[in-house]
Amino acid sequence: MAKFALTLVIIGALNWLLVGLFQWDLVSALLGGDSHRASSGISRIVYTVVGLCGIYCVRFYSDDRHSAR
């Protein structure tokens, strides 16, 4: 369950990275809806930071410190 949750968090963060960098919403494009989002400069910076954090979280797939429990 933890890997599934981590996967969804990373997908969401990468979607926000696309919104922050390109104003393009991948989830809306795949599931139907308006895939272009108009955003302010500050919100795009926040979306980009969230997306970069999602890329950083990929490393937690190989984090074995908690698997011994």
Side-chain angles (χ1 to χ4, degrees):
M1 185 66 178
K3 297 278 185 178
F4 178 71
L6 180 60
T7 301
L8 288 180
V9 167
I10 291 170
I11 290 170
L14 293 177
N15 187 60
W16 282 121
L17 179 64
L18 291 172
V19 171
L21 294 178
F22 306 112
Q23 294 184 349
W24 188 68
D25 188 341
L26 175 64
V27 174
S28 286
L30 292 175
L31 301 177
D34 186 18
S35 61
H36 287 83
R37 292 178 173 254
S39 304
S40 70
I42 293 174
S43 64
R44 290 184 67 193
I45 290 170
V46 171
Y47 296 151
T48 302
V49 170
V50 169
L52 293 173
C53 290
I55 292 170
Y56 175 78
C57 286
V58 170
R59 72 182 287 272
F60 296 125
Y61 278 114
S62 63
D63 190 5
D64 292 331
R65 289 180 287 166
H66 301 294
S67 63
R69 292 184 191 176

